[in-house]
Each structure stands twice: as structure tokens, then as C-alpha cells.
Amino acid sequence: DVKVTQSSRYLVKRTGEKVFLECVQDMDHENMFWYRQDPGLGLRLIYFSYDVKMKEKGDIPEGYSVSREKKERFSLILESASTNQTSMYLCASSPSGRTYGYTFGSGTRLTVV
Amino acid sequence: AQKITQTQPGMFVQEKEAVTLDCTYDTSDQSYGLFWYKQPSSGEMIFLIYQGSYDEQNATEGRYSLNFQKARKSANLVISASQLGDSAMYFCAMREADGGATNKLIFGTGTLLAVQP
């Protein structure tokens, strides 16, 4: 009954590597989001997408990019991973419309060494 | 700028007692939505309850209720009859006023609730 799937639960990468975090939803939602979660800081929005090939920066986009080639898939890319990008990454999706909350994936805990 | 504030980093509650988790928000928008999510230690975020700014009644979902005080800009979550399984991180969130339908949410920093037997 999983509706938002993140490809990896745990990842360990080296500094400078290019990292891809994948997220797939099967609910035909228009909107998809990437957040990072850090202790004491809550969830902060990195990027979001409201349609295929459309993307907008969130509050902390530096060091990240995204790709949405198909409606169901939203990828987060760390062009050159750094230790300060060690974090929990959460993907979410929602339908269009302002009364809907999010459905979240189970998260990817990324460690950059 | 819109902001969500959760001032309780952590709380204890005895099993079977009620507990209130505080949330205040700041917005100049007249139309907004408030959400509460639960995050157990497993990491997934679970939607609990929603309150619209024009809703006259406080939202309720089972043991969860939202104490919405619009003039004070507060949206506290009340959990009645706490259970051990309620031990988790709880996040308050507000739909950001972006004028569109993208439904961006901004989140507070969370409150870690520990239910004691």
C-alpha cells in the first residue's frame, strides 16, 4: 500500500560525488516536493514541482537540482556532495488544490563522508 | 514572512492522559490551512488533522483535536487518552500563501512527545 516510494532508505556517499535521490508516486499527483530534515530545524523545502518539467526553488536550493521528466517521478540531484548535505531527505506529493496535505515517502538518510 | 513556531522541543505525558502540543503561526493571509503530522521513529510522516482558516468548528479526528484560536494565531494539537504508540515527533505546518495551487507547506521545528507507562 506504499504510495510515495523513495529508492533508498540509507545512503553513504563520498564528498564530491554526484548523488541521485529518486522519488516515485502512484497517486497521479500534480505536485511533488523535496525537503530536508535536520534536528532543531524542522523540514525545509529544497525544490518543488507542480507539473512535468516544471520546477521551482524552495528555501534552500543551493547545491541541489531536480528533474521531473514524468509525472510520477521527481529526482533530487546533489551535483557535488558535501558533508553539510548529510541529512534526512523527505519526498512528498499532493494533488492540486489548497486543502490537501502531503503524502510523504519514508525518507532517505544520506551521509556524506 | 510566514512562520510556524513550536516552542516545546520535548514533552512527557503519562499513558491515558491528555496532552497539548503548542503551535503558533504568523501570516497576513486571510485564507490558510493548518496541518499536524506525526513522525514515529521509523521516519515516515503521517498526516493527522487539518484546519482551514474559515472553519468555524475545531477539527477533530478520533483522539486528535485541534484547538484553533484564530485571534491568537494558535493551532494547538490535543491528544486525548495518550497511548504508548503516540510517542513520536509532531510537526505543525501551514499552507503557504503563494496565490496558486501548489500547496506548499512550511513546517515548525517539531515537538518530541514521549508517552510514559
Side-chain angles (χ1 to χ4, degrees):
Chain A
D1 189 37
V2 175
K3 296 191 169 93
V4 178
T5 303
Q6 294 185 233
S7 54
S8 303
R9 189 76 177 93
Y10 298 95
L11 273 180
V12 181
K13 296 292 181 180
R14 295 192 183 279
T15 303
E17 277 193 79
K18 189 169 186 176
V19 180
F20 293 86
L21 303 184
E22 306 288 347
C23 176
V24 176
Q25 52 98 0
D26 63 1
M27 296 168 287
D28 202 36
H29 286 171
E30 290 79 13
N31 302 323
M32 295 188 75
F33 308 84
W34 275 106
Y35 284 84
R36 65 176 281 176
Q37 181 181 359
D38 299 288
L41 297 177
L43 279 72
R44 294 179 291 167
L45 182 63
I46 304 171
Y47 267 97
F48 67 99
S49 168
Y50 52 91
D51 201 352
V52 176
K53 297 191 186 295
M54 305 304 289
K55 60 186 179 184
E56 285 197 24
K57 294 179 179 179
D59 299 318
I60 50 165
E62 297 77 20
Y64 303 95
S65 62
V66 290
S67 171
R68 194 168 181 199
E69 296 296 318
K70 294 183 178 181
K71 189 175 186 179
E72 66 271 18
R73 185 181 295 270
F74 191 37
S75 303
L76 179 69
I77 303 156
L78 287 65
E79 297 291 342
S80 177
S82 64
T83 54
N84 63 12
Q85 293 178 310
T86 291
S87 186
M88 169 71 91
Y89 290 87
L90 291 165
C91 174
S93 71
S94 78
S96 290
R98 304 182 76 185
T99 61
Y100 292 101
Y102 292 175
T103 301
F104 280 88
S106 54
T108 295
R109 185 165 293 281
L110 173 68
T111 302
V112 182
V113 298
Chain B
Q2 295 180 310
K3 188 178 178 181
I4 292 281
T5 302
Q6 295 180 255
T7 57
Q8 305 154 314
M11 290 188 70
F12 288 101
V13 65
Q14 289 295 125
E15 195 176 7
K16 300 180 184 175
E17 291 186 351
V19 63
T20 298
L21 306 184
D22 294 340
C23 173
T24 58
Y25 59 91
D26 188 16
T27 181
S28 57
D29 200 26
Q30 295 302 309
S31 175
Y32 50 89
L34 297 155
F35 301 79
W36 277 92
Y37 284 84
K38 172 184 178 181
Q39 186 182 43
S41 57
S42 55
E44 79 273 23
M45 295 279 281
I46 302 166
F47 166 72
L48 294 179
I49 197 167
Y50 167 79
Q51 178 86 42
S53 59
Y54 292 119
D55 294 341
E56 295 186 354
Q57 305 267 1
N58 284 344
T60 60
E61 290 287 347
R63 294 186 300 109
Y64 304 108
S65 61
L66 201 152
N67 183 3
F68 181 47
Q69 298 186 44
K70 195 170 182 177
R72 299 179 64 180
K73 295 188 174 179
S74 74
N76 299 338
L77 177 70
V78 180
I79 306 174
S80 63
S82 297
Q83 302 172 356
L84 295 178
D86 293 333
S87 295
M89 181 72 86
Y90 289 82
F91 290 97
C92 180
M94 178 169 63
R95 186 193 65 234
E96 195 171 63
D98 59 3
T102 54
N103 201 26
K104 283 187 292 181
L105 297 184
I106 55 172
F107 287 82
T109 52
T111 295
L112 184 61
L113 178 67
V115 180
Q116 296 180 312

